[in-house]
Amino acid sequence: MSSCCGPVTPLDQTSAVEARYGAAAQEQEACLCTPVAFDPKWLKVIPAEVVERDYGCGDPTRWVASGDTVLDLGSGSGKNALICAQVVGAEGAVIGVDRNRDMLGLSRRAAAVVAERIGFSNVSFLEGAIEALDAPGLDGAALIADASVDLVLSNCVLNLVNPSARQRLLNNIRRVLRPAGRVAISDIVCDRPVPLALQQDPELWSGCISGAWEEQAFLNDFKSLGFEAVSYADRSEQPWKVVEGIEFRAVTLVGALPGSGRSCC
């Protein structure tokens, strides 16, 4: 892409996201995603700084069940994972994955506090890119093992992944789930394609806007992986934002793989 002023440098989505969320780990930013009310009973044991620095657009924790092994993609401050820790109980486990070290520091400190308050420790926070769950560690094993998770959830993070890595992200979600594994993905979708000019805006990208999936394409991508009963369990009636006539709204996508076990809903 070029202009009268010379070549235009393509946006580095990863750097834009890292910079904005690193700052948001230090100080609350009201403009990131859209506020969501969570059941206050789960928030009592979670440090206030974690709750204040949580940036999401839905509540995917509502689809967690007792005893689940849960994978939280883009775990951020840790609020969603620490809610899940309480729901799954001592027999369950929660794994958060995030690439931002400031957010990881916040979530790891909070995990120790919550473990002391609830009487057990079942949460770990791993450093890594959510699209690269198959990346080998020092021991040669993938960051998240095949068929090791009952539920993959995420809260307003999938849209932050570079479009070139979307298929790898989707394939990894499918890979790590056990038979009858489920997804609960809260994210921002749009009603038509986002123009390249908006995709090149670092504020719009890191603000969960210009990387949004088209609404029907989001459903179709999960159906193509073999998920059944794929639907929007939650969908905001009014757009969250309208940019250049494009409507962006919050949704929570749910679905389940074939196999014996609980349903997605």
Side-chain angles (χ1 to χ4, degrees):
M1 183 178 178
S2 62
S3 71
C4 61
C5 301
V8 175
T9 303
L11 173 66
D12 183 339
Q13 288 94 349
T14 299
S15 295
V17 171
E18 283 286 291
R20 190 164 185 181
Y21 279 81
Q26 307 300 326
E27 185 175 347
Q28 184 181 25
E29 183 182 341
C31 294
L32 278 176
C33 294
T34 176
V36 177
F38 285 74
D39 189 329
K41 71 181 180 182
W42 303 122
L43 304 181
K44 293 177 182 178
V45 299
I46 301 176
E49 63 175 352
V50 168
V51 177
E52 292 167 358
R53 294 177 178 90
D54 174 67
Y55 306 106
C57 59
D59 180 7
T61 68
R62 290 163 46 204
W63 283 269
V64 178
S66 177
D68 273 345
T69 295
V70 176
L71 175 61
D72 180 7
L73 298 180
S75 47
S77 72
K79 186 178 87 171
N80 289 264
L82 295 170
I83 290 173
C84 293
Q86 300 170 71
V87 178
V88 303
E91 300 302 314
V94 182
I95 306 163
V97 174
D98 205 289
R99 72 188 309 160
N100 188 289
R101 292 183 177 179
D102 293 310
M103 285 293 190
L104 284 168
L106 180 60
S107 61
R108 286 168 174 168
R109 291 192 300 271
V113 174
V114 171
E116 183 176 352
R117 291 175 177 175
I118 66 178
F120 56 87
S121 176
N122 63 355
V123 183
S124 59
F125 290 101
L126 307 180
E127 182 177 352
I130 65 171
E131 65 271 26
L133 302 176
D134 52 349
L138 294 176
D139 60 357
L143 181 66
I144 305 296
D146 294 1
S148 60
V149 173
D150 297 303
L151 174 70
V152 172
L153 65 77
S154 185
N155 200 344
C156 210
V157 176
L158 267 59
N159 65 76
L160 300 176
V161 172
N162 190 304
S164 65
R166 275 187 178 179
Q167 193 58 53
R168 185 181 183 187
L169 168 66
L170 292 167
N171 291 344
N172 267 305
I173 290 173
R174 174 68 179 81
R175 178 185 63 81
V176 302
L177 281 167
R178 295 168 176 151
R182 297 119 57 213
V183 290
I185 308 292
S186 295
D187 223 296
I188 300 296
V189 297
C190 53
D191 65 345
R192 53 188 147 120
V194 177
L196 184 59
L198 296 185
Q199 292 183 41
Q200 291 295 312
D201 186 316
E203 287 295 310
L204 291 179
W205 190 279
S206 61
C208 306
I209 294 174
S210 57
W213 253 272
E214 287 182 76
E215 189 168 340
Q216 188 58 49
F218 201 38
L219 294 168
N220 292 343
D221 282 347
F222 279 87
K223 290 177 182 177
S224 70
L225 293 173
F227 286 92
E228 300 176 343
V230 177
S231 65
Y232 289 134
D234 290 322
R235 178 184 180 276
S236 58
E237 183 175 343
Q238 297 299 319
W240 168 52
K241 290 188 177 180
V242 178
V243 180
E244 295 191 6
I246 304 170
E247 295 184 355
F248 296 86
R249 49 178 34 90
V251 298
T252 297
L253 178 150
V254 297
L257 294 171
S260 58
R262 291 185 291 265
S263 69
C264 62
C265 311

